Amino acid sequence: MTTPVPPGTPLPKPTPPTGSLTAAVLPTSLPVPTAAPPPGRRLAAELVGTALLAAVVVGSGHQADALTPDAGLRFLANVGASAAALTVLITLFGPVSGGHLNPLITAGAWWTGRGTPAGLPLREAVGYAAAQTVGAVVGTGLADAMFGHPVFRLSAVPRGSGTLWLAEAVATGTLLLVVTGATAAGRGRLVPALVGLWVVVACWTTSSGGFANPAVTLGRALTDGWTGIAPGSVPGFVLAQCAGAAAGLGLAALLFDRERAYSGARPGPSDGP
């Protein structure tokens, strides 16, 4: 039973939950304070999220290989599982760490948010990249172990040519353009779905298969499945990915407002307006 409020008594203003974006929609003259998760939790989220992503990429390849000899069906299953995993994982870990799961997304977040209060500090960006790389290696080993494959056996699948490097640059550059541009355009909540959709498109329309992630690329060098990449092919892929990311960020800076662009882990892409 509630106590009646005397007429004329001013009602208290509701307090938004910590970490919400209600400041963007509530008619209040004061900024709503937000509390970012502690650094250790953010790093753990990036490690776990990237590990799960790598496990899905490699594990779905093993599963498809065991179920059908048809290369097209294997690729379809692998791409579908990977895109779905990205959508889920970015949505899940976005409020904690930003849901980057990719060193180049982290680099883009640092670069875009540099000099702003909400920007991702360089030291934390380096920690993100390290956590993502460790996570990718762990996830690859986990996938191999689940399917009874040798754990951490170097891949023998060569992927080294100019056409593949060009494809990686295009896939990665467009990924950075999608993430940065969508957030700058006020569509941050759509980023998980947009990334998942772009992964499907990139995988099917680029000759490289759209790796677009240096950490997962390194992890995939440690599996004996057809989703792997020979260690000697990794440097070319990573350099192409970095070049593509730089081009994507350049296009985003040209086309979108930097002040509204994706600026790191506070808030994550799934928390956008």
Side-chain angles (χ1 to χ4, degrees):
M1 184 174 181
T2 59
T3 303
V5 179
T9 302
L11 296 177
K13 293 183 178 180
T15 302
T18 300
S20 71
L21 290 185
T22 49
V25 295
L26 287 179
T28 175
S29 59
L30 297 176
V32 179
T34 58
R41 185 179 299 171
R42 296 199 293 271
L43 292 176
E46 288 298 306
L47 191 153
V48 173
T50 312
L52 291 174
L53 174 60
V56 169
V57 171
V58 176
S60 61
H62 289 325
Q63 183 75 286
D65 197 33
L67 293 176
T68 176
D70 188 299
L73 287 178
R74 292 202 307 264
F75 191 65
L76 177 63
N78 180 244
V79 171
S82 301
L86 266 172
T87 303
V88 171
L89 293 172
I90 295 173
T91 302
L92 177 64
F93 292 111
V96 181
S97 66
H100 299 181
L101 315 182
N102 185 331
L104 293 178
I105 296 296
T106 296
W110 166 75
W111 178 258
T112 305
R114 69 194 188 286
T116 65
L120 185 68
L122 179 59
R123 181 176 180 180
E124 190 167 344
V126 172
Y128 267 41
Q132 292 155 358
T133 301
V134 171
V137 171
V138 170
T140 298
L142 177 62
D144 283 342
M146 287 192 295
F147 285 90
H149 287 251
V151 177
F152 300 143
R153 189 167 82 175
L154 297 181
S155 173
V157 181
R159 300 180 189 268
S161 73
T163 56
L164 298 183
W165 298 336
L166 175 60
E168 276 301 287
V170 171
T172 311
T174 308
L175 174 64
L176 267 292
L177 179 62
V178 166
V179 173
T180 307
T183 308
R187 298 292 184 266
R189 288 191 181 276
L190 297 179
V191 166
L194 292 176
V195 169
L197 289 172
W198 174 246
V199 165
V200 174
V201 173
C203 287
W204 279 104
T205 59
T206 64
S207 57
S208 66
F211 283 43
N213 186 327
V216 176
T217 298
L218 178 62
R220 290 169 71 165
L222 303 176
T223 179
D224 66 340
W226 63 268
T227 58
I229 176 173
S233 300
V234 169
F237 259 53
V238 172
L239 287 174
Q241 291 162 356
C242 291
L249 287 173
L251 282 173
L254 179 66
L255 299 172
F256 301 99
D257 182 3
R258 174 178 175 251
E259 294 303 318
R260 297 189 62 192
Y262 182 53
S263 56
R266 297 179 294 276
S270 61
D271 284 338

